[in-house]
Every structure is written in C-alpha cells, then in structure tokens.
C-alpha cells in the first residue's frame, strides 16, 4: 500500500497488487525501452555525464521513498 502512494518522476507507479491462487502479484505500467544492461552490452560504458545524471535520478528517487518511510532493498 505504501509503494502505491509513491509519486516521483523516477519511480514507476504501482497500479495494483494482490494474490491469485496463492501467488502474490503487482502490476505497473509498461515502460518501453532498453534496460541498462542491454544498453551497456550494446554500447559499452556510458559517458560520465550520463552516469552522473542517472545516479542523481536514482538517488533522488531513493531519498524520496525513504522520506515516505519506504526502504528499497534491491
């Protein structure tokens, strides 16, 4: 329930969660595009300015989630 309240540009929203036949699930919007892994495999190392930008976006999203009382454990 807490994850569903998060609203941040770098956090994909949680649309629904539940249980079906004993299996927990959640659904989120589909985000079209490459994964970071695929991009690195295709293009190699990213330019430092892009690494810094991505790192800032991730840090901003994590800080926001932490302020909301949610700790991301991946």
């Amino acid at each position: 329930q807490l994850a569903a309240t998060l609203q941040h540009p770098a956090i994909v929203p949680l649309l629904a969660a539940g249980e079906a036949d004993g299996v927990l699930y959640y659904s989120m919007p589909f985000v079209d595009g490459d994964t970071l892994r695929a991009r690195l495999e295709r293009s190699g190392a990213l330019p430092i300015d892009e690494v810094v930008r991505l790192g800032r976006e991730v840090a901003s999203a994590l800080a926001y989630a932490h302020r909301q009382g949610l700790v991301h454990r991946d």
Side-chain angles (χ1 to χ4, degrees):
Q1 289 175 333
L2 180 58
T5 68
L6 298 179
Q7 294 188 13
H8 186 278
I11 298 176
V12 178
L14 179 64
L15 300 176
E19 181 180 345
D21 297 325
V23 177
L24 300 175
Y25 71 89
Y26 59 91
S27 64
M28 304 166 87
F30 176 73
V31 178
D32 196 18
D34 282 341
T35 63
L36 178 57
R37 176 175 294 175
R39 184 164 175 202
L40 291 171
E41 288 173 355
R42 183 183 68 248
S43 303
L46 300 175
I48 190 68
D49 60 328
E50 189 159 357
V51 171
V52 170
R53 180 185 62 78
L54 291 171
R56 285 183 175 166
E57 288 180 15
V58 169
S60 173
L62 288 172
Y64 168 78
H66 290 177
R67 286 192 303 273
Q68 305 307 310
L70 186 77
V71 176
H72 192 290
R73 295 177 55 190
D74 264 352

Short mmCIF file of all heavy atoms in Angstrom, two decimals:
data_model
loop_
_atom_site.label_atom_id
_atom_site.label_comp_id
_atom_site.label_asym_id
_atom_site.label_seq_id
_atom_site.Cartn_x
_atom_site.Cartn_y
_atom_site.Cartn_z
N GLN A 1 0.82 -1.20 0.00
CA GLN A 1 0.00 0.00 0.00
C GLN A 1 0.86 1.25 0.00
O GLN A 1 0.55 2.22 -0.68
CB GLN A 1 -0.94 0.00 1.20
CG GLN A 1 -2.05 -1.03 1.07
CD GLN A 1 -2.91 -1.10 2.32
OE1 GLN A 1 -2.45 -0.81 3.41
NE2 GLN A 1 -4.14 -1.50 2.14
N LEU A 2 1.95 1.20 0.77
CA LEU A 2 2.84 2.36 0.82
C LEU A 2 3.48 2.61 -0.54
O LEU A 2 3.54 3.75 -1.00
CB LEU A 2 3.91 2.17 1.89
CG LEU A 2 4.91 3.31 2.06
CD1 LEU A 2 4.20 4.62 2.39
CD2 LEU A 2 5.92 2.97 3.13
N ALA A 3 3.93 1.57 -1.21
CA ALA A 3 4.56 1.73 -2.52
C ALA A 3 3.60 2.36 -3.53
O ALA A 3 4.02 3.12 -4.40
CB ALA A 3 5.07 0.39 -3.04
N ALA A 4 2.32 2.08 -3.40
CA ALA A 4 1.33 2.62 -4.33
C ALA A 4 1.16 4.13 -4.16
O ALA A 4 0.66 4.79 -5.07
CB ALA A 4 -0.01 1.92 -4.15
N THR A 5 1.58 4.68 -3.03
CA THR A 5 1.43 6.12 -2.81
C THR A 5 2.58 6.93 -3.38
O THR A 5 2.50 8.15 -3.44
CB THR A 5 1.30 6.44 -1.31
OG1 THR A 5 2.54 6.16 -0.65
CG2 THR A 5 0.17 5.67 -0.67
N LEU A 6 3.66 6.28 -3.77
CA LEU A 6 4.84 7.00 -4.25
C LEU A 6 4.56 7.66 -5.60
O LEU A 6 4.07 7.02 -6.52
CB LEU A 6 6.03 6.05 -4.38
CG LEU A 6 6.50 5.39 -3.09
CD1 LEU A 6 7.67 4.46 -3.38
CD2 LEU A 6 6.86 6.40 -2.03
N GLN A 7 4.89 8.93 -5.69
CA GLN A 7 4.74 9.68 -6.93
C GLN A 7 6.00 10.49 -7.16
O GLN A 7 6.19 11.54 -6.53
CB GLN A 7 3.51 10.57 -6.88
CG GLN A 7 2.23 9.79 -6.82
CD GLN A 7 1.01 10.67 -6.97
OE1 GLN A 7 1.10 11.82 -7.36
NE2 GLN A 7 -0.14 10.12 -6.67
N HIS A 8 6.85 9.99 -8.02
CA HIS A 8 8.14 10.62 -8.31
C HIS A 8 8.47 10.33 -9.77
O HIS A 8 8.18 9.23 -10.26
CB HIS A 8 9.21 10.03 -7.38
CG HIS A 8 10.53 10.69 -7.49
ND1 HIS A 8 11.44 10.36 -8.47
CD2 HIS A 8 11.10 11.67 -6.74
CE1 HIS A 8 12.52 11.10 -8.31
NE2 HIS A 8 12.34 11.90 -7.27
N PRO A 9 9.08 11.28 -10.48
CA PRO A 9 9.38 11.06 -11.90
C PRO A 9 10.26 9.84 -12.19
O PRO A 9 10.19 9.27 -13.27
CB PRO A 9 10.10 12.34 -12.31
CG PRO A 9 9.82 13.34 -11.27
CD PRO A 9 9.47 12.61 -10.01
N ALA A 10 11.08 9.43 -11.22
CA ALA A 10 11.98 8.29 -11.45
C ALA A 10 11.47 7.00 -10.84
O ALA A 10 12.21 6.02 -10.75
CB ALA A 10 13.38 8.62 -10.92
N ILE A 11 10.21 6.98 -10.40
CA ILE A 11 9.62 5.77 -9.82
C ILE A 11 8.41 5.37 -10.65
O ILE A 11 7.49 6.16 -10.82
CB ILE A 11 9.20 6.00 -8.35
CG1 ILE A 11 10.42 6.33 -7.49
CG2 ILE A 11 8.47 4.78 -7.81
CD1 ILE A 11 10.09 6.67 -6.05
N VAL A 12 8.44 4.15 -11.17
CA VAL A 12 7.30 3.64 -11.93
C VAL A 12 6.18 3.36 -10.93
O VAL A 12 6.39 2.67 -9.93
CB VAL A 12 7.66 2.36 -12.71
CG1 VAL A 12 6.46 1.82 -13.46
CG2 VAL A 12 8.81 2.63 -13.67
N PRO A 13 4.97 3.89 -11.19
CA PRO A 13 3.90 3.72 -10.21
C PRO A 13 3.38 2.28 -10.13
O PRO A 13 3.38 1.55 -11.11
CB PRO A 13 2.80 4.66 -10.71
CG PRO A 13 3.07 4.83 -12.17
CD PRO A 13 4.55 4.70 -12.34
N LEU A 14 2.96 1.93 -8.94
CA LEU A 14 2.32 0.64 -8.70
C LEU A 14 0.83 0.81 -8.95
O LEU A 14 0.19 1.68 -8.36
CB LEU A 14 2.58 0.21 -7.25
CG LEU A 14 1.98 -1.09 -6.80
CD1 LEU A 14 2.57 -2.27 -7.57
CD2 LEU A 14 2.22 -1.28 -5.31
N LEU A 15 0.28 0.02 -9.86
CA LEU A 15 -1.13 0.15 -10.21
C LEU A 15 -2.04 -0.73 -9.38
O LEU A 15 -3.12 -0.34 -8.98
CB LEU A 15 -1.32 -0.16 -11.70
CG LEU A 15 -0.56 0.72 -12.68
CD1 LEU A 15 -0.78 0.24 -14.10
CD2 LEU A 15 -0.96 2.17 -12.52
N ALA A 16 -1.59 -1.95 -9.14
CA ALA A 16 -2.43 -2.89 -8.39
C ALA A 16 -1.53 -3.96 -7.78
O ALA A 16 -0.44 -4.23 -8.27
CB ALA A 16 -3.45 -3.54 -9.30
N ALA A 17 -2.02 -4.55 -6.70
CA ALA A 17 -1.31 -5.65 -6.06
C ALA A 17 -2.36 -6.57 -5.45
O ALA A 17 -3.47 -6.15 -5.14
CB ALA A 17 -0.35 -5.14 -4.99
N GLY A 18 -2.00 -7.83 -5.32
CA GLY A 18 -2.95 -8.76 -4.74
C GLY A 18 -2.39 -10.16 -4.68
O GLY A 18 -1.19 -10.37 -4.75
N GLU A 19 -3.29 -11.10 -4.60
CA GLU A 19 -2.93 -12.51 -4.54
C GLU A 19 -3.90 -13.28 -5.42
O GLU A 19 -5.10 -13.03 -5.42
CB GLU A 19 -3.04 -13.02 -3.10
CG GLU A 19 -2.66 -14.47 -2.95
CD GLU A 19 -2.79 -14.93 -1.50
OE1 GLU A 19 -2.90 -14.10 -0.60
OE2 GLU A 19 -2.79 -16.16 -1.32
N ALA A 20 -3.36 -14.20 -6.19
CA ALA A 20 -4.18 -15.06 -7.05
C ALA A 20 -3.65 -16.48 -6.92
O ALA A 20 -2.47 -16.74 -7.18
CB ALA A 20 -4.11 -14.59 -8.50
N ASP A 21 -4.50 -17.38 -6.49
CA ASP A 21 -4.12 -18.78 -6.31
C ASP A 21 -2.87 -18.94 -5.46
O ASP A 21 -1.98 -19.73 -5.77
CB ASP A 21 -3.94 -19.47 -7.67
CG ASP A 21 -5.21 -19.51 -8.48
OD1 ASP A 21 -6.29 -19.66 -7.86
OD2 ASP A 21 -5.14 -19.41 -9.72
N GLY A 22 -2.76 -18.14 -4.41
CA GLY A 22 -1.63 -18.23 -3.50
C GLY A 22 -0.36 -17.55 -3.98
O GLY A 22 0.67 -17.63 -3.32
N VAL A 23 -0.42 -16.86 -5.11
CA VAL A 23 0.75 -16.17 -5.65
C VAL A 23 0.53 -14.66 -5.52
O VAL A 23 -0.48 -14.14 -5.99
CB VAL A 23 0.99 -16.54 -7.13
CG1 VAL A 23 2.16 -15.76 -7.71
CG2 VAL A 23 1.21 -18.04 -7.27
N LEU A 24 1.47 -13.99 -4.88
CA LEU A 24 1.39 -12.54 -4.77
C LEU A 24 1.79 -11.90 -6.09
O LEU A 24 2.67 -12.41 -6.80
CB LEU A 24 2.31 -12.04 -3.66
CG LEU A 24 2.02 -12.56 -2.26
CD1 LEU A 24 3.08 -12.07 -1.28
CD2 LEU A 24 0.64 -12.13 -1.80
N TYR A 25 1.14 -10.79 -6.44
CA TYR A 25 1.48 -10.10 -7.68
C TYR A 25 1.34 -8.60 -7.50
O TYR A 25 0.71 -8.13 -6.55
CB TYR A 25 0.57 -10.56 -8.83
CG TYR A 25 -0.84 -10.05 -8.69
CD1 TYR A 25 -1.21 -8.82 -9.23
CD2 TYR A 25 -1.80 -10.79 -8.02
CE1 TYR A 25 -2.50 -8.34 -9.08
CE2 TYR A 25 -3.09 -10.32 -7.87
CZ TYR A 25 -3.44 -9.10 -8.41
OH TYR A 25 -4.71 -8.62 -8.25
N TYR A 26 1.95 -7.87 -8.39
CA TYR A 26 1.71 -6.43 -8.51
C TYR A 26 1.83 -6.07 -9.98
O TYR A 26 2.49 -6.76 -10.76
CB TYR A 26 2.66 -5.59 -7.64
CG TYR A 26 4.13 -5.77 -7.93
CD1 TYR A 26 4.78 -4.95 -8.85
CD2 TYR A 26 4.87 -6.73 -7.27
CE1 TYR A 26 6.13 -5.10 -9.10
CE2 TYR A 26 6.23 -6.89 -7.51
CZ TYR A 26 6.84 -6.06 -8.44
OH TYR A 26 8.18 -6.22 -8.69
N SER A 27 1.16 -5.00 -10.36
CA SER A 27 1.23 -4.57 -11.75
C SER A 27 1.67 -3.12 -11.82
O SER A 27 1.35 -2.32 -10.94
CB SER A 27 -0.11 -4.77 -12.46
OG SER A 27 -1.10 -3.94 -11.87
N MET A 28 2.43 -2.83 -12.87
CA MET A 28 2.96 -1.49 -13.11
C MET A 28 2.83 -1.21 -14.60
O MET A 28 2.74 -2.15 -15.40
CB MET A 28 4.44 -1.45 -12.68
CG MET A 28 4.66 -1.86 -11.24
SD MET A 28 6.38 -2.19 -10.86
CE MET A 28 6.91 -0.56 -10.43
N PRO A 29 2.84 0.06 -14.99
CA PRO A 29 2.76 0.37 -16.41
C PRO A 29 3.99 -0.18 -17.15
O PRO A 29 5.08 -0.26 -16.58
CB PRO A 29 2.76 1.89 -16.48
CG PRO A 29 2.51 2.37 -15.11
CD PRO A 29 2.88 1.26 -14.17
N PHE A 30 3.80 -0.54 -18.40
CA PHE A 30 4.92 -0.98 -19.24
C PHE A 30 5.75 0.24 -19.62
O PHE A 30 5.22 1.27 -20.03
CB PHE A 30 4.38 -1.65 -20.51
CG PHE A 30 5.47 -2.04 -21.46
CD1 PHE A 30 6.30 -3.12 -21.19
CD2 PHE A 30 5.68 -1.33 -22.62
CE1 PHE A 30 7.30 -3.49 -22.06
CE2 PHE A 30 6.68 -1.69 -23.51
CZ PHE A 30 7.50 -2.77 -23.23
N VAL A 31 7.06 0.14 -19.44
CA VAL A 31 7.97 1.21 -19.83
C VAL A 31 8.78 0.70 -21.00
O VAL A 31 9.59 -0.22 -20.86
CB VAL A 31 8.89 1.62 -18.66
CG1 VAL A 31 9.87 2.70 -19.10
CG2 VAL A 31 8.08 2.08 -17.47
N ASP A 32 8.55 1.27 -22.17
CA ASP A 32 9.23 0.84 -23.38
C ASP A 32 10.66 1.35 -23.40
O ASP A 32 10.93 2.48 -22.97
CB ASP A 32 8.47 1.36 -24.60
CG ASP A 32 8.87 0.66 -25.89
OD1 ASP A 32 9.47 -0.43 -25.81
OD2 ASP A 32 8.58 1.20 -26.96
N GLY A 33 11.57 0.54 -23.86
CA GLY A 33 12.96 0.97 -23.98
C GLY A 33 13.91 -0.11 -23.50
O GLY A 33 13.50 -1.17 -23.01
N ASP A 34 15.19 0.18 -23.64
CA ASP A 34 16.24 -0.75 -23.24
C ASP A 34 16.41 -0.79 -21.73
O ASP A 34 16.18 0.20 -21.04
CB ASP A 34 17.59 -0.32 -23.83
CG ASP A 34 17.75 -0.66 -25.29
OD1 ASP A 34 17.00 -1.54 -25.77
OD2 ASP A 34 18.61 -0.07 -25.94
N THR A 35 16.86 -1.93 -21.23
CA THR A 35 17.34 -1.99 -19.85
C THR A 35 18.75 -1.40 -19.84
O THR A 35 19.41 -1.28 -20.89
CB THR A 35 17.40 -3.44 -19.36
OG1 THR A 35 18.37 -4.16 -20.15
CG2 THR A 35 16.04 -4.12 -19.44
N LEU A 36 19.20 -1.06 -18.67
CA LEU A 36 20.58 -0.56 -18.55
C LEU A 36 21.56 -1.63 -19.01
O LEU A 36 22.52 -1.34 -19.73
CB LEU A 36 20.86 -0.14 -17.11
CG LEU A 36 22.27 0.36 -16.82
CD1 LEU A 36 22.63 1.55 -17.71
CD2 LEU A 36 22.41 0.72 -15.35
N ARG A 37 21.30 -2.87 -18.65
CA ARG A 37 22.19 -3.96 -19.05
C ARG A 37 22.28 -4.07 -20.58
O ARG A 37 23.36 -4.19 -21.14
CB ARG A 37 21.71 -5.28 -18.46
CG ARG A 37 22.58 -6.47 -18.95
CD ARG A 37 22.18 -7.73 -18.29
NE ARG A 37 22.51 -7.56 -16.88
CZ ARG A 37 22.22 -8.43 -15.93
NH1 ARG A 37 21.60 -9.54 -16.23
NH2 ARG A 37 22.56 -8.21 -14.69
N ALA A 38 21.13 -4.03 -21.25
CA ALA A 38 21.12 -4.13 -22.72
C ALA A 38 21.88 -2.97 -23.34
O ALA A 38 22.62 -3.15 -24.31
CB ALA A 38 19.69 -4.18 -23.24
N ARG A 39 21.69 -1.79 -22.79
CA ARG A 39 22.38 -0.62 -23.34
C ARG A 39 23.88 -0.74 -23.16
O ARG A 39 24.66 -0.43 -24.07
CB ARG A 39 21.87 0.64 -22.67
CG ARG A 39 22.47 1.87 -23.27
CD ARG A 39 21.72 3.09 -22.90
NE ARG A 39 22.42 4.24 -23.42
CZ ARG A 39 22.28 5.45 -22.94
NH1 ARG A 39 21.45 5.66 -21.95
NH2 ARG A 39 22.95 6.44 -23.46
N LEU A 40 24.32 -1.20 -21.99
CA LEU A 40 25.75 -1.37 -21.76
C LEU A 40 26.34 -2.43 -22.66
O LEU A 40 27.46 -2.28 -23.18
CB LEU A 40 26.01 -1.71 -20.29
CG LEU A 40 25.74 -0.59 -19.29
CD1 LEU A 40 25.82 -1.13 -17.87
CD2 LEU A 40 26.68 0.57 -19.50
N GLU A 41 25.60 -3.53 -22.88
CA GLU A 41 26.09 -4.58 -23.76
C GLU A 41 26.20 -4.09 -25.20
O GLU A 41 27.10 -4.48 -25.93
CB GLU A 41 25.18 -5.80 -23.67
CG GLU A 41 25.33 -6.55 -22.36
CD GLU A 41 24.32 -7.67 -22.19
OE1 GLU A 41 23.41 -7.84 -23.04
OE2 GLU A 41 24.42 -8.39 -21.17
N ARG A 42 25.26 -3.24 -25.61
CA ARG A 42 25.25 -2.74 -26.98
C ARG A 42 26.29 -1.65 -27.20
O ARG A 42 27.01 -1.65 -28.19
CB ARG A 42 23.86 -2.20 -27.33
CG ARG A 42 23.74 -1.71 -28.75
CD ARG A 42 22.38 -1.10 -29.08
NE ARG A 42 22.17 0.14 -28.35
CZ ARG A 42 21.29 0.32 -27.38
NH1 ARG A 42 20.49 -0.66 -27.00
NH2 ARG A 42 21.17 1.47 -26.77
N SER A 43 26.41 -0.73 -26.24
CA SER A 43 27.22 0.47 -26.47
C SER A 43 28.48 0.57 -25.61
O SER A 43 29.27 1.48 -25.80
CB SER A 43 26.37 1.72 -26.21
OG SER A 43 25.23 1.73 -27.02
N GLY A 44 28.62 -0.33 -24.65
CA GLY A 44 29.77 -0.22 -23.75
C GLY A 44 29.51 0.81 -22.67
O GLY A 44 28.38 1.21 -22.42
N ALA A 45 30.58 1.24 -22.06
CA ALA A 45 30.49 2.18 -20.94
C ALA A 45 29.78 3.47 -21.35
O ALA A 45 29.94 3.95 -22.47
CB ALA A 45 31.88 2.51 -20.41
N LEU A 46 29.01 4.01 -20.41
CA LEU A 46 28.30 5.26 -20.65
C LEU A 46 29.23 6.44 -20.40
O LEU A 46 30.15 6.35 -19.58
CB LEU A 46 27.10 5.36 -19.72
CG LEU A 46 26.04 4.28 -19.83
CD1 LEU A 46 24.99 4.46 -18.74
CD2 LEU A 46 25.39 4.31 -21.19
N PRO A 47 28.96 7.55 -21.05
CA PRO A 47 29.73 8.76 -20.76
C PRO A 47 29.52 9.19 -19.31
O PRO A 47 28.43 9.00 -18.75
CB PRO A 47 29.15 9.81 -21.72
CG PRO A 47 28.38 9.04 -22.74
CD PRO A 47 27.98 7.76 -22.11
N ILE A 48 30.53 9.76 -18.68
CA ILE A 48 30.48 10.10 -17.27
C ILE A 48 29.32 11.04 -16.95
O ILE A 48 28.68 10.90 -15.90
CB ILE A 48 31.82 10.68 -16.76
CG1 ILE A 48 31.83 10.79 -15.23
CG2 ILE A 48 32.11 12.01 -17.39
CD1 ILE A 48 31.83 9.48 -14.52
N ASP A 49 29.01 11.98 -17.84
CA ASP A 49 27.91 12.91 -17.54
C ASP A 49 26.57 12.17 -17.47
O ASP A 49 25.71 12.51 -16.67
CB ASP A 49 27.85 14.06 -18.55
CG ASP A 49 27.64 13.61 -19.98
OD1 ASP A 49 28.12 12.52 -20.36
OD2 ASP A 49 27.01 14.37 -20.74
N GLU A 50 26.42 11.14 -18.28
CA GLU A 50 25.19 10.35 -18.23
C GLU A 50 25.14 9.48 -16.98
O GLU A 50 24.08 9.32 -16.37
CB GLU A 50 25.03 9.50 -19.48
CG GLU A 50 23.68 8.85 -19.54
CD GLU A 50 23.29 8.41 -20.94
OE1 GLU A 50 24.04 8.66 -21.89
OE2 GLU A 50 22.20 7.82 -21.04
N VAL A 51 26.27 8.93 -16.58
CA VAL A 51 26.34 8.13 -15.36
C VAL A 51 25.96 9.01 -14.16
O VAL A 51 25.17 8.59 -13.29
CB VAL A 51 27.75 7.53 -15.16
CG1 VAL A 51 27.89 6.89 -13.79
CG2 VAL A 51 28.06 6.53 -16.26
N VAL A 52 26.49 10.22 -14.13
CA VAL A 52 26.17 11.14 -13.03
C VAL A 52 24.69 11.49 -13.04
O VAL A 52 24.03 11.49 -11.99
CB VAL A 52 27.05 12.41 -13.11
CG1 VAL A 52 26.57 13.47 -12.13
CG2 VAL A 52 28.51 12.07 -12.86
N ARG A 53 24.12 11.75 -14.21
CA ARG A 53 22.69 12.08 -14.32
C ARG A 53 21.83 10.93 -13.82
O ARG A 53 20.91 11.11 -13.01
CB ARG A 53 22.31 12.43 -15.76
CG ARG A 53 20.83 12.79 -15.93
CD ARG A 53 20.47 13.00 -17.38
NE ARG A 53 20.65 11.82 -18.20
CZ ARG A 53 19.81 10.78 -18.24
NH1 ARG A 53 18.72 10.76 -17.49
NH2 ARG A 53 20.06 9.75 -19.01
N LEU A 54 22.14 9.71 -14.27
CA LEU A 54 21.39 8.54 -13.84
C LEU A 54 21.53 8.31 -12.34
O LEU A 54 20.55 8.00 -11.65
CB LEU A 54 21.84 7.30 -14.62
CG LEU A 54 21.47 7.27 -16.09
CD1 LEU A 54 22.16 6.10 -16.79
CD2 LEU A 54 19.97 7.19 -16.28
N GLY A 55 22.73 8.46 -11.83
CA GLY A 55 22.97 8.29 -10.40
C GLY A 55 22.17 9.29 -9.58
O GLY A 55 21.59 8.94 -8.53
N ARG A 56 22.10 10.52 -10.05
CA ARG A 56 21.31 11.54 -9.35
C ARG A 56 19.82 11.20 -9.37
O ARG A 56 19.12 11.40 -8.37
CB ARG A 56 21.54 12.91 -9.97
CG ARG A 56 22.87 13.50 -9.60
CD ARG A 56 23.03 14.88 -10.18
NE ARG A 56 24.28 15.45 -9.70
CZ ARG A 56 24.85 16.52 -10.20
NH1 ARG A 56 24.27 17.17 -11.19
NH2 ARG A 56 25.97 16.97 -9.70
N GLU A 57 19.32 10.71 -10.50
CA GLU A 57 17.91 10.33 -10.59
C GLU A 57 17.59 9.20 -9.63
O GLU A 57 16.56 9.23 -8.94
CB GLU A 57 17.54 9.93 -12.02
CG GLU A 57 17.48 11.10 -12.99
CD GLU A 57 17.12 10.67 -14.39
OE1 GLU A 57 16.63 9.54 -14.59
OE2 GLU A 57 17.32 11.49 -15.30
N VAL A 58 18.46 8.20 -9.57
CA VAL A 58 18.24 7.07 -8.67
C VAL A 58 18.31 7.55 -7.22
O VAL A 58 17.46 7.19 -6.39
CB VAL A 58 19.27 5.94 -8.93
CG1 VAL A 58 19.22 4.89 -7.84
CG2 VAL A 58 19.03 5.32 -10.30
N ALA A 59 19.31 8.36 -6.89
CA ALA A 59 19.45 8.86 -5.53
C ALA A 59 18.24 9.70 -5.13
O ALA A 59 17.75 9.61 -4.00
CB ALA A 59 20.73 9.67 -5.39
N SER A 60 17.74 10.52 -6.04
CA SER A 60 16.57 11.34 -5.77
C SER A 60 15.35 10.47 -5.49
O SER A 60 14.59 10.73 -4.54
CB SER A 60 16.29 12.26 -6.97
OG SER A 60 15.08 12.96 -6.80
N ALA A 61 15.16 9.43 -6.29
CA ALA A 61 14.02 8.53 -6.10
C ALA A 61 14.13 7.78 -4.77
O ALA A 61 13.15 7.65 -4.03
CB ALA A 61 13.93 7.54 -7.26
N LEU A 62 15.33 7.30 -4.44
CA LEU A 62 15.52 6.59 -3.17
C LEU A 62 15.32 7.52 -1.98
O LEU A 62 14.69 7.14 -0.98
CB LEU A 62 16.90 5.95 -3.11
CG LEU A 62 17.10 4.74 -4.01
CD1 LEU A 62 18.56 4.32 -4.01
CD2 LEU A 62 16.22 3.59 -3.56
N ALA A 63 15.82 8.74 -2.07
CA ALA A 63 15.65 9.71 -0.98
C ALA A 63 14.17 10.01 -0.78
O ALA A 63 13.69 10.09 0.36
CB ALA A 63 16.44 10.98 -1.27
N TYR A 64 13.45 10.19 -1.88
CA TYR A 64 12.01 10.44 -1.79
C TYR A 64 11.30 9.26 -1.12
O TYR A 64 10.49 9.45 -0.20
CB TYR A 64 11.43 10.68 -3.19
CG TYR A 64 9.93 10.65 -3.22
CD1 TYR A 64 9.19 11.74 -2.78
CD2 TYR A 64 9.25 9.53 -3.67
CE1 TYR A 64 7.80 11.71 -2.78
CE2 TYR A 64 7.86 9.49 -3.68
CZ TYR A 64 7.15 10.58 -3.24
OH TYR A 64 5.78 10.54 -3.24
N ALA A 65 11.61 8.04 -1.57
CA ALA A 65 10.98 6.86 -0.98
C ALA A 65 11.30 6.76 0.51
O ALA A 65 10.42 6.45 1.32
CB ALA A 65 11.43 5.59 -1.71
N HIS A 66 12.54 7.05 0.89
CA HIS A 66 12.93 6.98 2.30
C HIS A 66 12.16 8.02 3.13
O HIS A 66 11.73 7.71 4.24
CB HIS A 66 14.43 7.20 2.46
CG HIS A 66 15.24 6.06 1.95
ND1 HIS A 66 16.62 6.08 1.94
CD2 HIS A 66 14.88 4.86 1.42
CE1 HIS A 66 17.06 4.94 1.43
NE2 HIS A 66 16.04 4.19 1.11
N ARG A 67 11.96 9.20 2.57
CA ARG A 67 11.19 10.23 3.28
C ARG A 67 9.74 9.79 3.50
O ARG A 67 9.08 10.24 4.43
CB ARG A 67 11.22 11.55 2.53
CG ARG A 67 12.55 12.28 2.62
CD ARG A 67 12.47 13.71 2.12
NE ARG A 67 11.99 13.81 0.75
CZ ARG A 67 12.74 13.74 -0.35
NH1 ARG A 67 14.05 13.54 -0.24
NH2 ARG A 67 12.20 13.85 -1.55
N GLN A 68 9.26 8.89 2.61
CA GLN A 68 7.90 8.37 2.74
C GLN A 68 7.83 7.16 3.66
O GLN A 68 6.77 6.57 3.86
CB GLN A 68 7.33 8.00 1.36
CG GLN A 68 7.37 9.11 0.33
CD GLN A 68 6.73 10.39 0.81
OE1 GLN A 68 5.61 10.38 1.31
NE2 GLN A 68 7.44 11.50 0.67
N GLY A 69 8.98 6.74 4.19
CA GLY A 69 9.02 5.60 5.10
C GLY A 69 9.25 4.26 4.44
O GLY A 69 9.08 3.22 5.05
N LEU A 70 9.65 4.27 3.17
CA LEU A 70 9.86 3.03 2.42
C LEU A 70 11.36 2.83 2.19
O LEU A 70 12.04 3.76 1.74
CB LEU A 70 9.14 3.09 1.08
CG LEU A 70 9.17 1.82 0.26
CD1 LEU A 70 8.16 0.82 0.84
CD2 LEU A 70 8.79 2.12 -1.17
N VAL A 71 11.86 1.65 2.46
CA VAL A 71 13.27 1.34 2.23
C VAL A 71 13.34 0.33 1.09
O VAL A 71 12.76 -0.74 1.16
CB VAL A 71 13.94 0.76 3.49
CG1 VAL A 71 15.37 0.35 3.20
CG2 VAL A 71 13.89 1.77 4.62
N HIS A 72 14.05 0.69 0.02
CA HIS A 72 14.22 -0.19 -1.15
C HIS A 72 15.37 -1.13 -0.82
O HIS A 72 16.44 -0.70 -0.45
CB HIS A 72 14.54 0.65 -2.37
CG HIS A 72 14.46 -0.11 -3.65
ND1 HIS A 72 15.37 -1.08 -3.99
CD2 HIS A 72 13.58 -0.04 -4.67
CE1 HIS A 72 15.04 -1.56 -5.18
NE2 HIS A 72 13.97 -0.96 -5.61
N ARG A 73 15.15 -2.43 -0.99
CA ARG A 73 16.15 -3.40 -0.57
C ARG A 73 16.81 -4.15 -1.72
O ARG A 73 17.50 -5.13 -1.48
CB ARG A 73 15.52 -4.37 0.42
CG ARG A 73 15.11 -3.67 1.70
CD ARG A 73 14.41 -4.58 2.65
NE ARG A 73 15.24 -5.75 2.95
CZ ARG A 73 14.81 -6.79 3.61
NH1 ARG A 73 13.57 -6.84 4.03
NH2 ARG A 73 15.61 -7.80 3.83
N ASP A 74 16.64 -3.75 -2.95
CA ASP A 74 17.32 -4.43 -4.06
C ASP A 74 18.75 -3.97 -4.15
O ASP A 74 19.09 -2.85 -4.04
CB ASP A 74 16.63 -4.11 -5.39
CG ASP A 74 15.64 -5.19 -5.77
OD1 ASP A 74 15.60 -6.22 -5.11
OD2 ASP A 74 14.91 -4.96 -6.74
#
